[in-house]
Amino acid sequence: MSLEMGSVRFERDVEATAGPAVGERLDRFRRTPSLRRLARESQVTTDDLVQPLFVAEQGPPRSPIASMPGIDRLSLGALPEEIERLAQRGVPAVILFGIPAAKDAEASGAWARDGVVQRAVKACRKTAPQMAVIVDVCLCEYTDQGHCRIIRDGVPAREQTLEALSRTAVSLAEAGADVVAPSAMADGQVRAIRRALDEAGLAETAILSYAAKYASAFYGPFREAAASTPAMGDRRDHQMDPPNAREALREAAQDLAEGADAIMVKPALAYLDVLCTVRARCDTPLAAYNVSGEYAMVKAAAAKGWIDERGVVLEILGGIKRAGADFILTYHAREVAGWLAERSRTG
Ligand code: PBG
Protein backbone atom coordinates (compact mmCIF):
# COMPACT_ATOMS: atom_id res chain seq x y z
CA MET A 1 0.00 0.00 0.00
CA SER A 2 1.30 3.46 -0.69
CA LEU A 3 0.07 6.82 0.39
CA GLU A 4 0.90 9.95 -1.52
CA MET A 5 1.22 12.91 0.85
CA GLY A 6 2.51 16.06 -0.71
CA SER A 7 5.89 15.13 -2.08
CA VAL A 8 6.47 12.39 0.51
CA ARG A 9 5.64 8.81 -0.32
CA PHE A 10 4.84 6.39 2.47
CA GLU A 11 5.12 2.66 1.87
CA ARG A 12 3.61 0.18 4.28
CA ASP A 13 3.27 -3.52 4.04
CA VAL A 14 -0.37 -4.22 4.79
CA GLU A 15 0.22 -7.98 4.71
CA ALA A 16 2.70 -7.69 7.57
CA THR A 17 0.27 -5.81 9.81
CA ALA A 18 -2.10 -8.05 11.63
CA GLY A 19 -5.59 -6.75 12.34
CA PRO A 20 -7.38 -3.88 10.63
CA ALA A 21 -5.99 -2.34 7.50
CA VAL A 22 -3.64 0.56 7.94
CA GLY A 23 -5.58 3.76 8.09
CA GLU A 24 -8.66 2.23 9.62
CA ARG A 25 -7.84 3.49 13.13
CA LEU A 26 -6.93 7.14 13.17
CA ASP A 27 -8.46 7.77 16.55
CA ARG A 28 -5.87 6.42 18.95
CA PHE A 29 -4.41 9.85 19.64
CA ARG A 30 -7.88 11.30 20.17
CA ARG A 31 -8.78 9.08 23.09
CA THR A 32 -7.85 11.31 26.02
CA PRO A 33 -7.31 15.02 26.56
CA SER A 34 -3.59 14.45 27.13
CA LEU A 35 -3.13 12.51 23.89
CA ARG A 36 -5.05 15.18 22.01
CA ARG A 37 -2.77 17.83 23.48
CA LEU A 38 0.27 15.92 22.22
CA ALA A 39 -1.12 15.46 18.73
CA ARG A 40 -2.37 19.03 18.32
CA GLU A 41 -0.92 20.68 15.23
CA SER A 42 -1.83 24.27 15.92
CA GLN A 43 -3.18 26.32 18.77
CA VAL A 44 -4.76 29.68 19.48
CA THR A 45 -3.18 31.52 22.39
CA THR A 46 -3.57 34.99 23.81
CA ASP A 47 -0.22 35.80 22.17
CA ASP A 48 -1.96 35.65 18.78
CA LEU A 49 -4.55 38.31 19.47
CA VAL A 50 -4.87 41.97 18.54
CA GLN A 51 -7.89 43.89 19.84
CA PRO A 52 -9.28 46.58 17.51
CA LEU A 53 -10.53 49.68 19.35
CA PHE A 54 -12.61 52.63 18.14
CA VAL A 55 -11.71 55.94 19.72
CA ALA A 56 -14.08 58.88 19.28
CA GLU A 57 -13.00 62.48 19.64
CA GLN A 58 -16.49 63.52 20.74
CA GLY A 59 -19.33 61.95 22.64
CA PRO A 60 -19.94 59.93 25.81
CA PRO A 61 -17.24 57.79 27.48
CA ARG A 62 -18.69 54.66 25.86
CA SER A 63 -21.20 54.49 23.05
CA PRO A 64 -22.35 51.04 21.98
CA ILE A 65 -22.23 49.95 18.34
CA ALA A 66 -25.56 48.28 17.61
CA SER A 67 -24.25 45.71 15.13
CA MET A 68 -21.23 44.83 17.26
CA PRO A 69 -22.50 43.82 20.71
CA GLY A 70 -19.74 44.09 23.32
CA ILE A 71 -17.76 46.69 21.36
CA ASP A 72 -18.13 50.37 22.24
CA ARG A 73 -16.76 53.53 20.72
CA LEU A 74 -14.52 54.87 23.48
CA SER A 75 -13.74 58.44 24.40
CA LEU A 76 -10.11 59.38 25.02
CA GLY A 77 -11.00 59.47 28.71
CA ALA A 78 -12.37 55.92 28.70
CA LEU A 79 -9.49 54.45 26.72
CA PRO A 80 -6.98 53.89 29.58
CA GLU A 81 -9.43 51.71 31.48
CA GLU A 82 -9.97 49.51 28.43
CA ILE A 83 -6.22 49.28 27.84
CA GLU A 84 -5.73 48.21 31.44
CA ARG A 85 -8.33 45.46 31.10
CA LEU A 86 -6.61 44.16 27.98
CA ALA A 87 -3.17 44.35 29.57
CA GLN A 88 -4.42 42.45 32.61
CA ARG A 89 -5.60 39.65 30.36
CA GLY A 90 -2.27 39.58 28.57
CA VAL A 91 -3.49 40.76 25.16
CA PRO A 92 -0.23 41.81 23.46
CA ALA A 93 -1.52 44.47 21.07
CA VAL A 94 -4.30 46.80 20.00
CA ILE A 95 -5.10 48.37 16.65
CA LEU A 96 -6.63 51.82 16.88
CA PHE A 97 -9.29 53.42 14.66
CA GLY A 98 -10.31 57.04 15.08
CA ILE A 99 -13.62 58.80 14.77
CA PRO A 100 -12.79 62.50 14.39
CA ALA A 101 -15.09 65.34 15.40
CA ALA A 102 -14.85 66.87 11.92
CA LYS A 103 -14.06 65.59 8.44
CA ASP A 104 -12.76 67.52 5.43
CA ALA A 105 -11.57 67.13 1.84
CA GLU A 106 -7.90 66.86 2.92
CA ALA A 107 -8.47 64.27 5.68
CA SER A 108 -6.60 66.63 7.99
CA GLY A 109 -7.86 64.81 11.08
CA ALA A 110 -5.80 61.79 10.04
CA TRP A 111 -2.46 63.56 10.25
CA ALA A 112 -3.11 66.36 12.75
CA ARG A 113 -0.54 66.38 15.54
CA ASP A 114 -3.36 66.42 18.09
CA GLY A 115 -5.65 64.13 16.07
CA VAL A 116 -7.79 61.65 17.95
CA VAL A 117 -5.60 58.61 17.19
CA GLN A 118 -2.38 60.51 17.87
CA ARG A 119 -3.75 61.30 21.33
CA ALA A 120 -5.02 57.75 21.76
CA VAL A 121 -1.57 56.34 20.96
CA LYS A 122 -0.03 58.50 23.66
CA ALA A 123 -2.66 57.37 26.17
CA CYS A 124 -1.92 53.70 25.36
CA ARG A 125 1.82 54.23 25.71
CA LYS A 126 1.33 55.83 29.07
CA THR A 127 -1.16 53.28 30.44
CA ALA A 128 0.56 50.10 29.27
CA PRO A 129 4.04 50.79 27.92
CA GLN A 130 4.62 47.12 27.12
CA MET A 131 1.54 46.79 24.92
CA ALA A 132 2.18 47.00 21.17
CA VAL A 133 0.24 49.79 19.50
CA ILE A 134 -0.76 49.29 15.87
CA VAL A 135 -2.55 52.06 14.00
CA ASP A 136 -4.70 51.80 10.91
CA VAL A 137 -3.51 54.25 8.28
CA CYS A 138 -6.36 55.18 6.00
CA LEU A 139 -8.29 58.31 5.08
CA CYS A 140 -11.89 57.08 4.92
CA GLU A 141 -12.73 58.02 8.51
CA TYR A 142 -11.38 61.54 7.89
CA THR A 143 -12.53 62.55 4.40
CA ASP A 144 -15.87 64.33 4.08
CA GLN A 145 -16.79 62.07 1.13
CA GLY A 146 -15.91 58.89 3.07
CA HIS A 147 -13.37 57.61 0.54
CA CYS A 148 -9.98 56.14 1.39
CA ARG A 149 -8.38 58.54 -1.05
CA ILE A 150 -8.20 62.28 -1.64
CA ILE A 151 -10.58 63.20 -4.46
CA ARG A 152 -9.86 66.17 -6.77
CA ASP A 153 -12.37 67.24 -9.42
CA GLY A 154 -14.29 64.03 -8.87
CA VAL A 155 -11.32 61.72 -9.43
CA PRO A 156 -8.89 60.07 -6.98
CA ALA A 157 -5.68 62.06 -6.70
CA ARG A 158 -2.81 59.60 -6.39
CA GLU A 159 0.02 61.89 -5.31
CA GLN A 160 -2.09 63.74 -2.75
CA THR A 161 -3.35 60.45 -1.37
CA LEU A 162 0.16 59.02 -0.91
CA GLU A 163 1.24 62.30 0.64
CA ALA A 164 -1.66 62.30 3.12
CA LEU A 165 -1.09 58.62 4.01
CA SER A 166 2.63 59.26 4.58
CA ARG A 167 1.97 62.29 6.77
CA THR A 168 -0.53 60.25 8.75
CA ALA A 169 1.92 57.40 9.27
CA VAL A 170 4.70 59.76 10.36
CA SER A 171 2.54 61.65 12.83
CA LEU A 172 1.23 58.42 14.37
CA ALA A 173 4.74 56.99 14.62
CA GLU A 174 5.90 60.23 16.25
CA ALA A 175 3.08 59.86 18.76
CA GLY A 176 4.54 56.46 19.66
CA ALA A 177 2.89 53.80 17.48
CA ASP A 178 5.02 50.67 17.06
CA VAL A 179 3.38 49.57 13.82
CA VAL A 180 1.57 51.47 11.08
CA ALA A 181 -0.93 49.50 9.03
CA PRO A 182 -1.78 51.11 5.70
CA SER A 183 -5.23 49.94 4.62
CA ALA A 184 -6.09 52.29 1.78
CA MET A 185 -5.10 49.82 -0.98
CA ALA A 186 -3.35 52.67 -2.78
CA ASP A 187 -0.58 51.33 -5.03
CA GLY A 188 2.78 52.53 -3.80
CA GLN A 189 1.56 53.32 -0.28
CA VAL A 190 4.05 51.04 1.46
CA ARG A 191 7.04 52.51 -0.39
CA ALA A 192 5.86 56.08 0.22
CA ILE A 193 5.28 55.44 3.92
CA ARG A 194 8.61 53.62 4.42
CA ARG A 195 10.47 56.48 2.79
CA ALA A 196 8.64 59.12 4.84
CA LEU A 197 9.24 57.24 8.10
CA ASP A 198 12.95 56.82 7.37
CA GLU A 199 13.33 60.48 6.41
CA ALA A 200 11.67 61.48 9.67
CA GLY A 201 14.14 59.35 11.65
CA LEU A 202 11.51 56.71 12.41
CA ALA A 203 13.39 53.72 11.07
CA GLU A 204 12.20 51.54 13.96
CA THR A 205 8.52 51.84 13.09
CA ALA A 206 7.24 48.68 11.40
CA ILE A 207 4.77 48.48 8.53
CA LEU A 208 2.02 45.88 8.57
CA SER A 209 0.36 46.22 5.20
CA TYR A 210 -3.18 45.21 4.44
CA ALA A 211 -1.76 43.51 1.36
CA ALA A 212 -4.82 41.54 0.27
CA LYS A 213 -7.81 43.57 1.29
CA TYR A 214 -10.97 42.53 -0.49
CA ALA A 215 -13.98 44.69 -1.37
CA SER A 216 -16.10 42.83 1.14
CA ALA A 217 -19.66 43.05 2.39
CA PHE A 218 -18.31 41.95 5.77
CA TYR A 219 -17.14 45.51 6.60
CA GLY A 220 -20.70 46.77 7.13
CA PRO A 221 -20.69 47.01 10.94
CA PHE A 222 -17.26 48.69 10.92
CA ARG A 223 -18.57 51.41 8.65
CA GLU A 224 -21.45 51.98 11.03
CA ALA A 225 -19.00 52.15 13.92
CA ALA A 226 -16.57 54.49 12.19
CA ALA A 227 -19.14 56.44 10.16
CA SER A 228 -17.01 55.78 7.08
CA THR A 229 -19.46 54.66 4.40
CA PRO A 230 -18.59 56.40 1.11
CA ALA A 231 -21.07 59.18 0.28
CA MET A 232 -21.25 57.88 -3.29
CA GLY A 233 -19.82 54.88 -5.10
CA ASP A 234 -18.06 52.06 -3.31
CA ARG A 235 -14.57 50.67 -2.79
CA ARG A 236 -14.57 48.10 -5.56
CA ASP A 237 -12.41 50.30 -7.74
CA HIS A 238 -9.42 49.87 -5.41
CA GLN A 239 -10.06 47.00 -2.98
CA MET A 240 -9.60 43.48 -4.37
CA ASP A 241 -12.26 41.61 -6.28
CA PRO A 242 -13.44 38.71 -4.05
CA PRO A 243 -13.18 35.95 -6.68
CA ASN A 244 -9.43 36.56 -7.16
CA ALA A 245 -6.77 34.58 -5.32
CA ARG A 246 -3.68 34.71 -7.55
CA GLU A 247 -3.89 38.48 -7.53
CA ALA A 248 -3.43 38.39 -3.75
CA LEU A 249 0.02 36.89 -4.26
CA ARG A 250 0.97 39.79 -6.51
CA GLU A 251 -0.31 42.27 -3.92
CA ALA A 252 1.67 40.53 -1.18
CA ALA A 253 4.84 40.36 -3.28
CA GLN A 254 4.55 44.02 -4.20
CA ASP A 255 4.08 45.17 -0.61
CA LEU A 256 7.02 43.07 0.59
CA ALA A 257 9.19 44.49 -2.21
CA GLU A 258 8.15 48.00 -1.14
CA GLY A 259 9.31 47.33 2.41
CA ALA A 260 6.41 45.85 4.39
CA ASP A 261 7.62 44.08 7.53
CA ALA A 262 4.45 42.02 7.84
CA ILE A 263 1.38 41.53 5.69
CA MET A 264 -2.31 40.89 6.20
CA VAL A 265 -5.22 39.16 4.53
CA LYS A 266 -8.66 40.62 5.14
CA PRO A 267 -11.38 39.47 5.75
CA ALA A 268 -10.42 36.08 7.17
CA LEU A 269 -13.19 33.50 6.90
CA ALA A 270 -14.19 33.68 3.26
CA TYR A 271 -10.48 34.00 2.35
CA LEU A 272 -8.79 31.15 4.22
CA ASP A 273 -7.55 29.75 0.91
CA VAL A 274 -5.84 33.07 0.21
CA LEU A 275 -4.28 33.07 3.68
CA CYS A 276 -2.99 29.55 3.17
CA THR A 277 -1.48 30.33 -0.23
CA VAL A 278 0.13 33.56 0.93
CA ARG A 279 1.57 31.68 3.94
CA ALA A 280 3.24 29.16 1.66
CA ARG A 281 4.98 31.96 -0.24
CA CYS A 282 6.09 34.38 2.45
CA ASP A 283 8.33 34.19 5.49
CA THR A 284 7.36 37.46 7.14
CA PRO A 285 4.80 37.60 9.94
CA LEU A 286 1.33 37.11 8.47
CA ALA A 287 -1.85 38.50 9.97
CA ALA A 288 -5.52 37.90 9.29
CA TYR A 289 -8.33 40.31 10.09
CA ASN A 290 -11.43 38.62 11.49
CA VAL A 291 -13.60 41.59 10.51
CA SER A 292 -16.67 43.30 11.91
CA GLY A 293 -19.26 41.37 9.87
CA GLU A 294 -17.72 38.06 10.92
CA TYR A 295 -17.96 39.15 14.54
CA ALA A 296 -21.52 40.42 14.12
CA MET A 297 -22.75 37.10 12.67
CA VAL A 298 -21.38 35.12 15.60
CA LYS A 299 -22.78 37.55 18.16
CA ALA A 300 -26.22 37.59 16.54
CA ALA A 301 -26.51 33.80 16.38
CA ALA A 302 -25.19 33.45 19.93
CA ALA A 303 -27.72 36.00 21.21
CA LYS A 304 -30.47 33.86 19.73
CA GLY A 305 -29.07 30.80 21.46
CA TRP A 306 -28.48 29.13 18.10
CA ILE A 307 -24.78 28.44 18.57
CA ASP A 308 -22.34 27.88 21.41
CA GLU A 309 -20.44 31.16 21.20
CA ARG A 310 -17.26 30.08 22.93
CA GLY A 311 -16.93 26.91 20.90
CA VAL A 312 -17.64 28.69 17.63
CA VAL A 313 -15.24 31.55 18.29
CA LEU A 314 -12.37 29.27 19.29
CA GLU A 315 -13.01 27.09 16.24
CA ILE A 316 -13.03 30.12 13.93
CA LEU A 317 -9.80 31.52 15.37
CA GLY A 318 -8.31 28.03 15.27
CA GLY A 319 -9.18 27.76 11.59
CA ILE A 320 -7.47 31.08 10.90
CA LYS A 321 -4.35 29.89 12.73
CA ARG A 322 -4.39 26.53 10.95
CA ALA A 323 -4.64 28.30 7.59
CA GLY A 324 -1.38 30.04 8.42
CA ALA A 325 -1.89 33.30 10.30
CA ASP A 326 0.71 34.20 12.93
CA PHE A 327 -1.67 36.64 14.56
CA ILE A 328 -5.29 37.66 14.31
CA LEU A 329 -6.98 41.03 14.57
CA THR A 330 -10.30 40.18 16.15
CA TYR A 331 -13.06 41.92 18.08
CA HIS A 332 -13.28 38.74 20.17
CA ALA A 333 -9.74 39.28 21.54
CA ARG A 334 -10.56 40.49 25.05
CA GLU A 335 -13.20 37.84 25.66
CA VAL A 336 -11.06 35.05 24.23
CA ALA A 337 -8.10 36.07 26.40
CA GLY A 338 -10.44 35.75 29.40
CA TRP A 339 -11.62 32.28 28.34
CA LEU A 340 -8.08 31.05 27.70
CA ALA A 341 -6.94 32.28 31.11
CA GLU A 342 -9.87 30.46 32.69
CA ARG A 343 -9.09 27.28 30.75
CA SER A 344 -5.46 27.30 31.83
CA ARG A 345 -6.55 27.67 35.47
CA THR A 346 -9.13 24.89 35.30
CA GLY A 347 -7.11 22.64 32.95
C1 PBG B 1 -10.31 51.39 6.67
C2 PBG B 1 -10.68 50.07 7.22
C3 PBG B 1 -11.88 49.34 7.09
C4 PBG B 1 -11.74 48.22 7.91
C5 PBG B 1 -10.47 48.28 8.48
N1 PBG B 1 -9.82 49.42 8.03
C6 PBG B 1 -13.12 49.65 6.36
C7 PBG B 1 -13.16 49.59 4.90
O1 PBG B 1 -12.18 49.32 4.22
O2 PBG B 1 -14.25 49.88 4.40
C8 PBG B 1 -12.77 47.16 8.15
C9 PBG B 1 -12.59 46.36 9.39
C10 PBG B 1 -13.79 45.59 9.81
O3 PBG B 1 -14.78 45.44 9.10
O4 PBG B 1 -13.73 45.10 10.95
N2 PBG B 1 -10.18 51.46 5.32
Side-chain angles (χ1 to χ4, degrees):
M1 181 193 181
S2 77
L3 296 169
E4 199 78 53
M5 294 187 68
S7 56
V8 187
R9 203 176 168 82
F10 291 82
E11 300 282 352
R12 286 200 59 174
D13 184 353
V14 182
E15 255 55 65
T17 343
V22 173
E24 205 170 273
R25 290 290 303 272
L26 291 173
D27 58 0
R28 293 190 185 101
F29 260 87
R30 298 175 197 154
R31 237 170 16 87
T32 70
S34 299
L35 288 170
R36 289 197 292 277
R37 281 169 64 198
L38 292 180
R40 203 152 281 158
E41 297 174 27
S42 67
Q43 179 145 267
V44 178
T45 73
T46 299
D47 293 346
D48 306 321
L49 307 174
V50 178
Q51 175 75 53
L53 295 176
F54 296 101
V55 188
E57 198 163 12
Q58 256 176 2
R62 287 180 168 268
S63 89
I65 301 157
S67 53
M68 301 178 73
I71 305 291
D72 297 333
R73 294 181 200 86
L74 304 169
S75 69
L76 282 160
L79 182 62
E81 191 195 352
E82 187 65 28
I83 294 293
E84 260 160 30
R85 279 163 78 186
L86 291 164
Q88 262 165 21
R89 292 196 182 174
V91 174
V94 292
I95 179 163
L96 302 175
F97 296 95
I99 304 156
K103 306 185 188 228
D104 59 30
E106 307 304 317
S108 62
W111 37 266
R113 209 169 243 287
D114 61 347
V116 59
V117 180
Q118 284 76 0
R119 286 157 70 195
V121 169
K122 287 185 191 143
C124 293
R125 282 267 84 96
K126 199 163 152 215
T127 311
Q130 78 289 356
M131 186 178 283
V133 180
I134 308 175
V135 287
D136 187 80
V137 174
C138 198
L139 306 179
C140 59
E141 294 112 281
Y142 305 92
T143 50
D144 46 14
Q145 22 71 0
H147 280 283
C148 306
R149 304 188 274 182
I150 303 285
I151 309 284
R152 286 281 151 78
D153 303 323
V155 288
R158 189 179 138 76
E159 289 308 315
Q160 282 88 344
T161 300
L162 293 180
E163 164 73 20
L165 290 168
S166 303
R167 285 178 79 168
T168 304
V170 167
S171 81
L172 292 166
E174 275 171 351
D178 299 288
V179 182
V180 295
S183 74
M185 286 298 278
D187 282 320
Q189 62 181 0
V190 174
R191 178 178 289 119
I193 288 173
R194 183 71 271 160
R195 194 172 292 159
L197 289 170
D198 291 349
E199 277 168 12
L202 297 159
E204 303 296 315
T205 310
I207 299 179
L208 163 63
S209 85
Y210 287 70
K213 178 173 177 182
Y214 285 88
S216 170
F218 284 98
Y219 307 150
F222 175 97
R223 292 182 189 168
E224 182 209 326
S228 65
T229 307
M232 47 172 191
D234 53 39
R235 304 212 164 116
R236 283 183 293 188
D237 62 350
H238 62 287
Q239 296 180 348
M240 279 185 61
D241 199 19
N244 296 358
R246 291 191 303 269
E247 195 185 337
L249 296 175
R250 295 176 60 207
E251 287 282 0
Q254 192 175 72
D255 285 2
L256 290 170
E258 288 185 20
D261 301 283
I263 55 178
M264 194 195 306
V265 172
K266 171 185 170 193
L269 293 186
Y271 301 90
L272 291 181
D273 59 325
V274 175
L275 194 59
C276 193
T277 318
V278 171
R279 168 78 299 163
R281 307 275 188 99
C282 91
D283 298 320
T284 58
L286 175 61
Y289 201 140
N290 175 219
V291 300
S292 58
E294 298 173 329
Y295 176 85
M297 291 194 305
V298 171
K299 285 286 174 184
K304 294 233 180 214
W306 291 346
I307 55 168
D308 162 20
E309 181 176 353
R310 203 185 277 216
V312 165
V313 170
L314 291 173
E315 199 171 322
I316 285 175
L317 299 181
I320 298 171
K321 276 299 297 278
R322 196 180 63 241
D326 293 306
F327 60 101
I328 308 171
L329 288 70
T330 176
Y331 300 94
H332 298 288
R334 178 165 46 74
E335 262 184 319
V336 169
W339 299 337
L340 294 177
E342 216 174 279
R343 193 161 76 180
S344 69
R345 273 197 306 275
T346 58

